[in-house]
Amino acid sequence: MHFEPDLLEKLRAARRIAVFTGAGVSGESGIPTFRDAQTGLWAQFRAEDLATPEAFRRDPVTVWNWYAWRRKLIREVMPNPAHLAIVQMERLIEHVTVITQNVDGLHRRAGSSDVVELHGNIFDNICSACRQPVEGIADEAGTPPTCPRCNGLVRPGVVWFGEALPEAAWIRAAEALESTDIFFCVGTSSLVEPAASLPRDARALGRTVIQINPAPTSHDQIAQYVVRGKAGEVLPALVRAAWIHAA
Ligand code: APR
């Protein structure tokens, strides 16, 4: 795989890197993207029927079962070479922050130490009424359990369409943008706001923006470098070319 020499130089000179990731990064682990997952049993549902507060109010059992299915699927897969290449970067430069839209926890499982989960984590639970975290829930399909404090229905601790991002995560993402030299944008269609504005903000702050995606995205014009390819192939090759072969 060939990379522009000045891209490799910028990587070697970098002290801090931020990596913004989306569903494309988990795809190679076998987790279908949100939209692709609606096959088989779930083909009859649209995202709006499964991942909105309205959907949960209307039909909590269906939404809870959809998440029980996804949790099981995620438990059975492993991080892939894209996740591992990001972990490897941590050993090569001063600091790496992962800012992810993925809720599967694979970056942490791979070993990344600074991970900002903008859309929450699928294994967390919160109460749909009092919004407090609820621990110790067995994630079985069926009727959602109830909150021990207020008796509201328990729901997954993820950000649904139309909901605000967790403020603490958003602040940490903004801080990472302030201090980073390089901003990678990997495996995201960059369509879902407000997370999708991060690459724009990074560029406005003068960061080097590198886009990695097999398909064109609306953010290709924002990036100084666009690498077409799969994250699990491009990221390991980039780590080798920038740091390992250069050593
Ligand atoms: N490597 C890199 N990118 C890939 C790969 C791969 N192997 N395979 C697919 N892609 C790219 C696709 O080309 C697409 O641009 O990953 C992107 C996936 O886009 P989306 O499915 O829209 O995922 P994402 O951008 O993470 O969506 C954001 O929307 O579904 C909601 O809340 C959910 O967090 C999610 C948000």
Side-chain angles (χ1 to χ4, degrees):
M1 205 174 280
H2 179 76
F3 299 105
E4 292 174 50
D6 65 319
L7 164 58
L8 299 178
E9 263 161 46
K10 287 207 170 73
L11 289 177
R12 281 180 208 128
R15 290 173 53 230
R16 298 178 77 91
I17 287 182
V19 191
F20 178 50
T21 66
V25 169
S26 296
E28 288 171 70
S29 287
I31 301 178
T33 64
F34 198 88
R35 285 159 265 273
D36 293 343
Q38 279 144 290
T39 55
L41 189 59
W42 299 100
Q44 53 181 311
F45 297 99
R46 299 167 308 153
E48 299 76 41
D49 299 325
L50 297 166
T52 63
E54 294 73 31
F56 189 73
R57 272 196 293 276
R58 203 167 47 230
D59 187 354
V61 175
T62 297
V63 173
W64 185 254
N65 285 345
W66 152 256
Y67 279 94
W69 179 79
R70 269 182 90 71
R71 284 171 171 174
K72 182 169 181 295
L73 184 129
I74 290 166
R75 281 211 175 84
E76 287 165 358
V77 304
M78 298 291 286
N80 66 58
H83 298 105
L84 298 173
I86 297 168
V87 177
Q88 202 177 3
M89 281 183 201
E90 267 186 43
R91 305 197 187 107
L92 296 162
I93 69 154
E94 191 179 297
H95 194 84
V96 176
T97 304
V98 178
I99 304 167
T100 189
Q101 299 167 90
N102 300 338
V103 297
D104 51 45
L106 285 179
H107 285 293
R108 263 186 235 284
R109 254 170 73 191
S112 282
S113 54
D114 185 13
V115 182
V116 181
E117 290 176 318
L118 287 179
H119 293 170
N121 188 301
I122 197 169
F123 296 107
D124 291 342
N125 288 293
I126 57 169
C127 171
S128 60
C130 71
R131 313 289 300 184
Q132 296 301 309
V134 185
E135 309 290 336
I137 296 292
D139 72 44
E140 284 159 12
T143 309
T146 51
C147 171
R149 277 175 297 265
C150 76
N151 226 27
L153 287 183
V154 172
R155 55 161 278 188
V158 298
V159 176
W160 280 335
F161 291 105
E163 292 186 314
L165 300 192
E167 204 184 340
W170 189 245
I171 291 170
R172 281 176 63 206
E175 282 168 1
L177 252 61
E178 283 292 333
S179 63
T180 197
D181 302 302
I182 307 279
F183 184 90
F184 279 103
C185 183
V186 193
T188 173
S189 60
S190 302
L191 293 174
V192 180
E193 294 289 349
S197 62
L198 286 175
R200 249 192 335 263
D201 296 346
R203 185 65 204 262
L205 285 166
R207 310 301 170 231
T208 299
V209 177
I210 305 167
Q211 172 80 256
I212 301 176
N213 199 308
T217 78
S218 60
H219 278 162
D220 288 359
Q221 298 89 325
I222 293 168
Q224 289 96 324
Y225 301 93
V226 176
V227 185
R228 289 251 178 279
K230 294 179 169 182
E233 292 167 8
V234 174
L235 281 170
L238 203 50
V239 168
R240 277 195 301 274
W243 291 287
I244 311 232
H245 290 170

